[in-house]
Amino acid sequence: MGSPLEIVAVPAFADNYLWLIQDADSGETAVVDPGDPAPVLAEAEKRGWHISTIFNTHWHPDHTGGNLAIKERTGATIIGPAGENGRVPGLDVALNEGDKVLLGAHEAEVWEVPGHTLGHIAYIFRGDKVAFVGDTLFAMGCGRLFEGTPEQMHRSLSRLAELPDDFKLYCAHEYTLANARFAAHAFPGNQAIGERLTAVERARAAGKPTVPTSVAEERATNPFLLARNIEHFADLRREKDNFRSA
């Protein structure tokens, strides 16, 4: 394989990350979950990149709201989950478990990772040790169960956690500080969580992003991966839904 993927975070709304990714050898460029078209188009234009593909992980508007405007401007092909019942705007290619997608020479496997929504997918670039996981797994957290069950989300998270330690996980929101505070509440004696909370507090105070994260970090400090069993997982998810840190 040639050059590694170039990955650029484009902040949007209050806490979203829209990811611009490019294969430098071919110049092919994609955007992952473009909820807002304006900052994505501006960043691509600034870099002289032409967006050829839109990767959607699930249907929520803060992930798909920019699809049609970007497609109109660039002619990009919109790819996304087949299992979202037609709710992804402008979908051209519907993806299922085991499908493969290319960005230049870089190949991604499509994994179905339901829980947050029923049709949620992730894009696993094994050659680059990179995964775009949408709202399934967050740094030190996971997505709310808007459509799926605790069993589905637990299975999805466990599957992502089986990737190699050095895989980088690109989620779609800057939720890490709130997640870290909940993790410290849920596992008060966990030294790794305490140390990571301190690091996250420093990063956010300095205005620095806390994503991507790594599989190794999540295995060690994500409360939902530390759950003893599915019942404990479900209890943690319910508690997190109502948790307000000091």
Side-chain angles (χ1 to χ4, degrees):
M1 191 169 61
S3 302
L5 285 175
E6 186 168 354
I7 303 172
V8 177
V10 181
F13 308 122
D15 51 38
N16 281 67
Y17 288 124
L18 323 179
W19 300 105
L20 271 175
I21 57 177
Q22 186 184 72
D23 168 41
D25 294 333
S26 68
E28 287 193 32
T29 303
V31 58
V32 182
D33 285 340
D36 185 353
V40 168
L41 291 167
E43 184 66 30
E45 183 176 355
K46 183 177 81 173
R47 293 172 175 272
W49 292 1
H50 178 79
I51 298 170
S52 55
T53 313
I54 295 169
F55 291 0
N56 290 135
T57 61
H58 65 293
W59 69 268
H60 285 164
D62 63 318
H63 294 252
T64 62
N67 280 12
L68 298 180
I70 294 170
K71 183 175 183 175
E72 183 177 359
R73 177 81 67 87
T74 67
T77 299
I78 299 173
I79 68 175
E84 298 281 46
N85 299 320
R87 291 183 288 183
V88 175
L91 187 66
D92 295 305
V93 180
L95 300 170
N96 293 287
E97 172 73 32
D99 285 343
K100 304 284 175 58
V101 297
L102 289 173
L103 186 70
H106 301 264
E107 182 181 81
E109 303 168 21
V110 175
W111 285 10
E112 293 176 357
V113 286
H116 183 64
T117 66
L118 291 178
H120 200 300
I121 61 174
Y123 298 89
I124 315 296
F125 287 87
R126 284 195 180 272
D128 296 273
K129 295 187 176 181
V130 162
F132 293 93
V133 298
D135 285 1
T136 295
L137 184 149
F138 296 127
M140 304 188 78
C142 72
R144 286 177 178 262
L145 304 181
F146 287 121
E147 297 174 8
T149 65
E151 290 79 9
Q152 286 176 316
M153 181 62 95
H154 186 261
R155 193 179 311 119
S156 296
L157 293 176
S158 298
R159 187 180 184 191
L160 291 168
E162 289 170 0
L163 288 165
D165 280 357
D166 56 350
F167 248 76
K168 288 187 175 176
L169 304 174
Y170 288 81
C171 61
H173 290 276
E174 181 59 72
Y175 289 163
T176 316
L177 183 55
N179 289 344
R181 288 172 174 161
F182 174 73
H185 161 80
F187 292 87
N190 187 300
Q191 182 178 347
I193 287 175
E195 290 173 354
R196 192 173 180 193
L197 171 58
T198 299
V200 168
E201 287 173 335
R202 288 174 178 161
R204 295 308 295 153
K208 296 178 180 178
T210 63
V211 295
T213 182
S214 72
V215 170
E217 286 179 298
E218 295 314 304
R219 282 196 193 126
T221 62
N222 189 315
F224 299 105
L225 292 174
L226 295 173
R228 297 183 300 274
N229 50 44
I230 186 62
E231 290 78 16
H232 188 204
F233 173 87
D235 288 344
L236 286 170
R237 185 59 264 180
R238 283 191 293 269
E239 187 177 4
K240 177 63 168 67
D241 288 344
N242 299 301
F243 180 73
R244 297 291 182 270
S245 61

